[in-house]
Amino acid sequence: MLKRDGKARPYTKALDGGWGWMIVFHFFLVNVFVVGMIKTSAIFFVVFQEEFESTSEQTGWIGSIMSSLSIAAGPLVAIIADTYGDKTVSILGAFLISGGFLISSQATSIPFLCVTIGVLPGLGSAFLYQVAAVLISKYFKKRLALCTAIARSGMGLTFLLAPFTKFLIDQYDWTGALIILGAIILNLVPTSMLLRPIHITSNSNSDIKDEGSSSSASGPEAECGAETSHCNKPRESTIRDYTIQKPGQPSASLTDSQNQNKEFNDGPDRKRLLLTTNEQSFDKKAVLCSCKQYLSFISLLKNPFFCIFTWSLLFSRLAYLVTNLHLVAIAKTLGIDMMDASYLLSIAGITESVSQIIFGWIADRNWIRKYHYYKSYLIGCCITNLFAPLATTFPLLMTYTIFSAIFSGGHLALIMPVLVDLSEESVTHRFYGLAFFFAGIAILPGPPIAGWLHDYTQTYVGSFYFSSTCFLLSSVSLFFIPLAERWKKQRLTRRKEDCNQL
């Protein structure tokens, strides 16, 4: 099936407002319910460990699978969204998460939970999050960093969600808590109806580049976007054969066209011939579009900007996941009460929300390139986690949580703006999908490895150092962006010289 995007409204530039604020509202709620619940899974981590008497390594696979699939399913989301539309994919994601939580209330073992809380909500999170993140990048350009930060600040409502989840567990046990949380997720179904498609075109009906970003200087090669930009909006084209003909002699194509028109108009099977021709034409376009989608994913692997971003994203998500999943467990080993430990998640959520909005606004001032901000926040996360083992009391652990949330909020707010700067607008969905796919696959063993370190050493110090190392490796790749820009300029110069010689 080939997507027909006739309902997408064409605009010559991003709205930077208008209906785009409804997309921001939906994205905000996605961060509240989806990302917030993923973060509060740290509470369920301790509950499941006690309920099923499992090790940290075994229980870690639940959150690992869910977090991994929530970003690794990127290419699948891109293909389904291109076929069925963003609205349908988003609604499907809400039902997957809600259904997964409902079935999990009947769980009897850790492997059962790996499927019902790991696989189903993981896929649903990917469907909801990627669609909203990509669509918001189409509605906003000049204020993209700020709007993304406002939407992502929804995860900061974890300061309400964490104590609320603990309250539900105390009142209704973990089974009742999962059923109630699954019902709350269904609120994303009506908000998904707000996802109105938009198509940015120039005066010549072709995709335009992001004028507010630095993609002209730092984006992937333009020919990659040109090869794939029309895959989702197939156009009717005429294939002409150039033949040598004598002066005064009618061309073969014109003669054939006249004969075909006469036969078509006079023949008895006119409607059947027309229907068959249209079906064959549509099938050919569908096959061509599928081939272009596949080739567009392959071409990204040759793109240095894609490799740089994916490397950075891979290690940053791995480090962020490990520290968040184990924060409550770390507090428990220090003798801190579970309710007080949930307050750590609350403080982290509030701090992340505020820092994302502030750093998003700063990035939109364009005082320096956005990836420089992004790089500095990653280094800040690295240093914070390096000194985290010194947090052996509740006040010190609270201090670590605040500083970690400040830098985490900064780098989380700039993931999408940096991605847009390094990619062409026409391939944002594929760039996002494939980058998060590799990151999701790579972070899958992250929490189990951190859990194994705890089981082996009986302390979470190794988890802190593991997270710090990953943040450092994440920032290293961003130092190669100037080299990639220089390579791109040299390649474009050679192409221009070749064209001039021809």
XYZ file of all heavy atoms in Angstrom, residues 185-259:
555
model
N -3.075 6.033 30.199
C -2.400 6.157 28.905
C -3.410 6.369 27.772
O -3.103 7.015 26.762
C -1.550 4.902 28.631
C -0.314 4.891 29.519
C -1.113 4.824 27.174
C 0.703 5.952 29.181
N -4.613 5.859 27.909
C -5.619 5.981 26.855
C -6.006 7.435 26.585
O -6.660 7.726 25.578
C -6.865 5.167 27.211
C -6.698 3.638 27.170
C -7.982 2.952 27.611
C -6.295 3.184 25.776
N -5.634 8.350 27.467
C -5.881 9.769 27.203
C -5.116 10.269 25.985
O -5.449 11.326 25.429
C -5.497 10.608 28.430
C -6.490 10.468 29.567
O -7.565 11.072 29.543
N -6.146 9.655 30.556
N -4.097 9.517 25.574
C -3.323 9.924 24.401
C -4.034 9.610 23.089
O -3.594 10.063 22.036
C -1.951 9.236 24.421
C -1.025 9.647 25.569
C 0.256 8.829 25.541
C -0.690 11.131 25.482
N -5.126 8.836 23.149
C -5.880 8.546 21.928
C -6.560 9.799 21.387
O -6.393 10.141 20.212
C -6.896 7.410 22.164
C -7.787 7.230 20.945
C -6.177 6.109 22.482
N -7.327 10.553 22.196
C -7.929 11.770 21.646
C -6.910 12.839 21.269
O -7.107 13.574 20.292
C -8.858 12.253 22.769
C -8.372 11.585 24.004
C -7.806 10.279 23.566
N -5.814 12.957 22.027
C -4.821 13.966 21.665
C -4.097 13.604 20.372
O -3.596 14.482 19.671
C -3.793 14.155 22.797
O -3.093 12.923 23.023
C -4.481 14.586 24.079
N -4.024 12.302 20.058
C -3.415 11.896 18.784
C -4.241 12.366 17.597
O -3.705 12.515 16.485
C -3.260 10.366 18.739
O -2.378 9.899 19.732
N -5.512 12.610 17.798
C -6.366 13.114 16.728
C -5.994 14.543 16.339
O -6.427 15.050 15.299
C -7.832 13.069 17.163
C -8.331 11.682 17.553
S -8.254 10.489 16.206
C -9.511 11.148 15.126
N -5.181 15.200 17.159
C -4.749 16.563 16.862
C -3.603 16.610 15.859
O -3.225 17.685 15.402
C -4.314 17.267 18.151
C -5.359 17.398 19.265
C -4.716 17.967 20.517
C -6.507 18.288 18.810
N -3.037 15.459 15.523
C -1.854 15.417 14.666
C -2.248 15.656 13.205
O -2.520 14.732 12.458
C -1.124 14.081 14.814
C -0.636 13.756 16.228
C 0.073 12.418 16.245
C 0.294 14.845 16.743
N -2.270 16.905 12.830
C -2.631 17.272 11.468
C -1.365 17.262 10.596
O -0.388 17.941 10.927
C -3.267 18.657 11.446
C -3.712 19.144 10.087
C -4.247 20.563 10.167
N -5.427 20.632 11.019
C -6.009 21.784 11.369
N -5.486 22.928 10.967
N -7.091 21.776 12.132
N -1.347 16.508 9.504
C -0.140 16.455 8.659
C 0.129 17.787 7.987
O -0.785 18.557 7.692
C -0.473 15.365 7.640
C -1.963 15.319 7.594
C -2.427 15.657 8.978
N 1.389 18.047 7.745
C 1.808 19.282 7.092
C 2.899 18.961 6.090
O 3.714 18.055 6.308
C 2.309 20.313 8.136
C 2.641 21.651 7.454
C 3.508 19.781 8.895
C 3.030 22.736 8.443
N 2.922 19.696 4.987
C 3.915 19.464 3.941
C 4.524 20.804 3.554
O 3.810 21.720 3.145
C 3.267 18.803 2.737
C 4.226 18.549 1.601
N 5.373 17.813 1.763
C 4.205 18.933 0.295
C 6.028 17.763 0.614
N 5.334 18.434 -0.285
N 5.833 20.936 3.724
C 6.528 22.175 3.411
C 7.053 22.109 1.983
O 7.816 21.215 1.635
C 7.695 22.436 4.382
C 7.195 22.349 5.829
C 8.317 23.787 4.117
C 6.149 23.363 6.182
N 6.632 23.051 1.154
C 7.072 23.087 -0.241
C 7.580 24.469 -0.579
O 7.253 25.467 0.079
C 5.917 22.755 -1.208
O 4.905 23.764 -1.091
C 5.314 21.405 -0.898
N 8.389 24.522 -1.619
C 8.803 25.804 -2.171
C 7.837 26.182 -3.275
O 6.863 25.503 -3.549
C 10.236 25.704 -2.713
O 10.276 24.826 -3.811
N 8.101 27.286 -3.938
C 7.222 27.720 -5.018
C 7.174 26.733 -6.162
O 6.245 26.703 -6.956
C 7.670 29.086 -5.539
C 7.478 30.164 -4.495
O 6.581 30.068 -3.652
N 8.321 31.193 -4.527
N 8.198 25.876 -6.249
C 8.261 24.908 -7.341
C 7.813 23.521 -6.900
O 8.113 22.535 -7.531
C 9.701 24.819 -7.891
O 10.579 24.420 -6.862
N 7.096 23.487 -5.709
C 6.527 22.226 -5.221
C 7.565 21.215 -4.798
O 7.337 20.027 -4.847
C 5.639 21.562 -6.268
C 4.180 21.766 -5.968
O 3.840 22.297 -4.911
N 3.336 21.362 -6.881
N 8.723 21.661 -4.371
C 9.759 20.747 -3.891
C 10.060 21.068 -2.450
O 9.794 22.157 -1.966
C 11.036 20.881 -4.741
O 11.528 22.195 -4.669
N 10.607 20.109 -1.746
C 10.910 20.300 -0.333
C 11.987 21.350 -0.177
O 12.956 21.410 -0.922
C 11.402 18.979 0.297
C 10.274 17.993 0.425
O 9.104 18.429 0.338
O 10.565 16.797 0.592
N 11.792 22.201 0.845
C 12.783 23.224 1.115
C 13.602 22.817 2.318
O 13.193 22.014 3.137
C 12.113 24.595 1.368
C 11.156 24.493 2.577
C 11.370 25.074 0.154
C 10.556 25.799 2.995
N 14.758 23.411 2.456
C 15.647 23.091 3.562
C 15.303 23.970 4.753
O 14.612 24.965 4.670
C 17.113 23.312 3.153
C 17.553 22.357 2.061
C 18.998 22.614 1.744
C 19.498 21.714 0.618
N 20.874 21.970 0.271
N 15.810 23.616 5.847
C 15.594 24.366 7.065
C 16.426 25.629 7.019
O 17.645 25.608 7.140
C 16.008 23.488 8.261
C 15.885 24.217 9.577
O 15.357 25.346 9.569
O 16.302 23.634 10.590
N 15.725 26.791 6.883
C 16.440 28.040 6.742
C 17.070 28.478 8.054
O 18.066 29.187 8.081
C 15.476 29.127 6.233
C 14.921 28.816 4.844
C 13.876 29.848 4.424
O 13.597 30.741 5.251
O 13.359 29.763 3.314
N 16.461 28.092 9.157
C 16.964 28.541 10.437
C 18.084 27.691 10.979
O 18.677 28.028 11.976
N 18.379 26.586 10.384
C 19.407 25.697 10.901
C 20.671 25.830 10.079
O 20.749 26.554 9.108
C 18.913 24.241 10.863
O 18.822 23.803 9.541
N 21.670 25.095 10.470
C 22.955 25.154 9.786
C 23.150 23.970 8.884
O 24.272 23.545 8.646
C 24.070 25.195 10.839
O 23.955 24.076 11.669
N 22.066 23.406 8.379
C 22.185 22.202 7.571
C 22.929 22.464 6.282
O 23.544 21.580 5.708
C 20.800 21.639 7.263
O 20.037 22.571 6.529
N 22.890 23.707 5.800
C 23.611 23.993 4.570
C 25.104 23.848 4.765
O 25.850 23.580 3.843
C 23.287 25.421 4.100
O 23.650 26.351 5.099
N 25.523 24.032 6.007
C 26.950 23.915 6.260
C 27.327 22.603 6.903
O 28.442 22.144 6.759
C 27.395 25.063 7.176
N 26.377 22.034 7.636
C 26.734 20.845 8.396
C 25.847 19.651 8.134
O 25.988 18.643 8.788
C 26.677 21.178 9.901
O 25.362 21.520 10.264
N 24.922 19.765 7.232
C 24.022 18.655 6.969
C 24.643 17.620 6.085
O 25.723 17.787 5.543
N 23.952 16.515 5.901
C 24.445 15.493 5.001
C 24.372 15.957 3.576
O 23.757 16.967 3.271
C 23.504 14.316 5.263
C 22.267 14.933 5.759
C 22.663 16.153 6.486
N 24.975 15.221 2.700
C 25.042 15.668 1.339
C 23.668 15.872 0.746
O 22.749 15.142 0.994
C 25.827 14.665 0.485
C 25.350 13.242 0.649
C 26.432 12.355 1.149
O 27.390 12.117 0.412
O 26.327 11.898 2.269
N 23.555 16.909 -0.030
C 22.256 17.307 -0.549
C 21.666 16.256 -1.455
O 20.455 16.117 -1.551
C 22.387 18.631 -1.303
N 22.521 15.520 -2.127
C 21.988 14.548 -3.062
C 21.243 13.420 -2.343
O 20.366 12.787 -2.912
C 23.089 13.952 -3.945
C 24.269 13.344 -3.171
C 25.369 14.334 -2.929
O 25.077 15.544 -2.901
O 26.524 13.925 -2.776
N 21.574 13.170 -1.096
C 20.843 12.145 -0.343
C 19.400 12.551 -0.177
O 18.499 11.755 -0.348
C 21.501 11.939 1.029
S 20.623 10.800 2.082
N 19.169 13.828 0.182
C 17.812 14.304 0.326
C 17.106 14.362 -0.999
O 15.911 14.097 -1.094
N 17.827 14.709 -2.059
C 17.185 14.814 -3.364
C 16.731 13.460 -3.874
O 15.733 13.345 -4.566
C 18.157 15.435 -4.365
N 17.470 12.418 -3.509
C 17.124 11.091 -3.991
C 15.878 10.546 -3.303
O 15.153 9.743 -3.870
C 18.302 10.125 -3.752
C 19.480 10.403 -4.650
C 20.663 9.552 -4.228
O 20.529 8.797 -3.266
O 21.708 9.651 -4.883
N 15.639 10.998 -2.077
C 14.567 10.382 -1.306
C 13.410 11.309 -1.007
O 12.418 10.874 -0.442
C 15.126 9.895 0.042
O 15.646 11.016 0.741
C 16.197 8.848 -0.154
N 13.493 12.583 -1.352
C 12.475 13.525 -0.934
C 11.141 13.289 -1.591
O 10.119 13.681 -1.062
C 12.939 14.959 -1.236
O 13.156 15.110 -2.620
N 11.115 12.664 -2.744
C 9.848 12.465 -3.438
C 9.290 11.059 -3.250
O 8.335 10.683 -3.895
C 10.037 12.729 -4.941
C 10.553 14.106 -5.229
N 9.792 15.232 -5.018
C 11.747 14.541 -5.694
C 10.503 16.318 -5.365
N 11.675 15.906 -5.763
N 9.868 10.301 -2.361
C 9.399 8.922 -2.184
C 8.007 8.888 -1.584
O 7.203 8.070 -1.941
C 10.371 8.157 -1.291
S 9.946 6.442 -1.066
N 7.756 9.816 -0.665
C 6.464 9.812 -0.002
C 5.398 10.571 -0.765
O 4.259 10.636 -0.344
C 6.597 10.441 1.389
C 7.496 9.611 2.242
O 7.586 8.408 2.029
N 8.157 10.231 3.205
N 5.723 11.228 -1.838
C 4.754 11.952 -2.622
C 5.010 11.681 -4.090
O 5.513 12.538 -4.827
C 4.838 13.449 -2.302
C 6.250 14.015 -2.351
C 6.216 15.489 -2.001
C 7.524 16.184 -2.248
N 8.686 15.535 -1.963
N 4.703 10.493 -4.533
C 5.009 10.113 -5.899
C 4.315 11.030 -6.884
O 3.160 11.380 -6.729
C 4.473 8.680 -5.999
C 3.488 8.563 -4.911
C 3.945 9.446 -3.826
N 5.033 11.416 -7.912
C 4.499 12.289 -8.931
C 4.383 11.520 -10.224
O 5.128 10.593 -10.493
C 5.435 13.492 -9.142
C 5.717 14.283 -7.884
C 6.709 15.378 -8.184
N 7.943 14.813 -8.729
C 8.936 15.551 -9.198
N 8.826 16.840 -9.238
N 10.029 14.993 -9.649
N 3.448 11.953 -11.029
C 3.299 11.350 -12.335
C 4.306 11.996 -13.262
O 4.420 13.197 -13.356
C 1.869 11.594 -12.832
C 0.831 10.924 -11.949
C -0.351 10.444 -12.747
O -0.331 10.649 -13.983
O -1.252 9.873 -12.152
N 5.041 11.195 -13.964
C 6.063 11.691 -14.867
C 5.949 10.971 -16.194
O 5.365 9.907 -16.295
C 7.451 11.469 -14.254
O 7.634 10.111 -14.058
N 6.502 11.575 -17.181
C 6.458 11.014 -18.519
C 7.838 10.548 -18.907
O 8.796 11.288 -18.771
C 5.974 12.081 -19.532
O 4.716 12.562 -19.089
C 5.843 11.482 -20.923
N 7.933 9.308 -19.400
C 9.203 8.753 -19.841
C 9.268 8.890 -21.355
O 8.428 8.350 -22.074
C 9.326 7.265 -19.445
C 9.158 7.150 -17.930
C 10.628 6.691 -19.914
C 9.162 5.721 -17.473
N 10.254 9.615 -21.802
C 10.356 9.896 -23.226
C 11.572 9.197 -23.822
O 12.643 9.220 -23.253
C 10.469 11.414 -23.449
C 9.276 12.186 -22.877
C 9.460 13.667 -23.065
N 8.309 14.397 -22.525
C 8.220 15.718 -22.492
N 9.208 16.454 -22.968
N 7.153 16.296 -21.998
N 11.356 8.631 -24.955
C 12.451 8.011 -25.680
C 12.892 8.972 -26.780
O 12.070 9.436 -27.583
C 12.010 6.696 -26.336
C 11.646 5.662 -25.306
O 12.264 5.708 -24.220
O 10.748 4.846 -25.593
N 14.194 9.240 -26.786
C 14.723 10.152 -27.783
C 15.229 9.336 -28.980
O 16.139 8.526 -28.847
C 15.877 10.973 -27.178
C 15.399 11.877 -26.065
C 15.398 11.434 -24.743
C 14.920 13.157 -26.329
C 14.948 12.245 -23.718
C 14.473 13.978 -25.304
C 14.495 13.521 -24.020
O 14.060 14.319 -23.010
N 14.615 9.539 -30.103
C 14.986 8.811 -31.308
C 15.336 9.798 -32.409
O 14.924 10.958 -32.397
C 13.825 7.922 -31.782
O 12.668 8.736 -31.998
C 13.475 6.886 -30.715
N 16.070 9.315 -33.373
C 16.464 10.135 -34.519
C 15.393 10.006 -35.577
O 15.029 8.912 -35.983
C 17.821 9.669 -35.083
C 18.890 9.756 -33.988
C 18.196 10.474 -36.300
C 20.214 9.227 -34.433
N 14.863 11.127 -36.009
C 13.814 11.110 -37.013
C 14.150 12.087 -38.123
O 14.865 13.053 -37.925
C 12.475 11.471 -36.367
C 12.462 12.869 -35.730
C 11.147 13.136 -35.026
O 10.573 12.241 -34.465
N 10.691 14.370 -35.101
N 13.606 11.845 -39.291
C 13.860 12.689 -40.437
C 12.996 13.929 -40.370
O 11.917 13.926 -39.805
C 13.549 11.914 -41.726
C 14.427 10.698 -41.903
C 14.064 9.987 -43.186
C 14.925 8.738 -43.365
N 14.571 8.009 -44.593
N 13.457 15.052 -40.985
C 12.678 16.285 -40.980
C 11.342 16.050 -41.659
O 11.240 15.432 -42.700
C 13.556 17.265 -41.771
C 14.933 16.727 -41.666
C 14.778 15.245 -41.633
N 10.290 16.569 -41.030
C 8.954 16.467 -41.599
C 8.247 15.186 -41.259
O 7.064 15.033 -41.523
N 8.963 14.223 -40.676
C 8.348 12.932 -40.333
C 7.831 12.977 -38.903
O 8.540 13.397 -38.010
C 9.385 11.812 -40.434
C 8.787 10.418 -40.124
C 9.851 9.351 -40.218
O 10.992 9.672 -40.524
N 9.465 8.127 -39.966
N 6.568 12.595 -38.663
C 6.041 12.648 -37.294
C 6.798 11.683 -36.388
O 7.235 10.633 -36.826
C 4.584 12.240 -37.452
C 4.536 11.436 -38.718
C 5.576 12.018 -39.612
N 6.919 12.065 -35.148
C 7.662 11.212 -34.217
C 6.873 9.948 -33.919
O 5.654 9.917 -33.994
C 7.911 11.977 -32.900
O 6.687 12.272 -32.274
N 7.620 8.893 -33.557
C 6.989 7.605 -33.284
C 6.101 7.682 -32.048
O 5.048 7.074 -31.987
C 8.066 6.521 -33.087
N 6.553 8.453 -31.041
C 5.747 8.545 -29.820
C 4.435 9.248 -30.077
O 3.397 8.891 -29.518
C 6.542 9.287 -28.728
O 6.870 10.585 -29.166
N 4.457 10.278 -30.960
C 3.225 11.002 -31.266
C 2.269 10.107 -32.030
O 1.066 10.081 -31.776
C 3.556 12.259 -32.075
C 2.355 13.131 -32.481
C 1.614 13.610 -31.236
C 2.816 14.308 -33.329
N 2.793 9.343 -33.008
C 1.940 8.436 -33.783
C 1.323 7.364 -32.899
O 0.127 7.068 -32.978
C 2.780 7.782 -34.900
O 3.341 8.807 -35.699
C 1.901 6.898 -35.755
N 2.148 6.775 -32.019
C 1.635 5.749 -31.117
C 0.572 6.314 -30.189
O -0.429 5.656 -29.892
C 2.781 5.143 -30.277
C 3.738 4.361 -31.161
O 3.333 3.982 -32.273
O 4.878 4.134 -30.708
N 0.802 7.542 -29.724
C -0.169 8.160 -28.825
C -1.502 8.370 -29.518
O -2.566 8.133 -28.936
C 0.389 9.490 -28.311
O -0.550 10.124 -27.494
N -1.459 8.816 -30.808
C -2.701 9.030 -31.539
C -3.430 7.711 -31.768
O -4.650 7.630 -31.617
C -2.391 9.706 -32.881
C -1.890 11.153 -32.719
C -1.459 11.761 -34.047
O -1.335 11.028 -35.039
N -1.253 13.050 -34.061
N -2.700 6.679 -32.141
C -3.329 5.377 -32.366
C -3.947 4.822 -31.077
O -5.036 4.256 -31.095
C -2.304 4.370 -32.914
C -1.833 4.755 -34.319
O -2.545 5.450 -35.060
N -0.637 4.324 -34.677
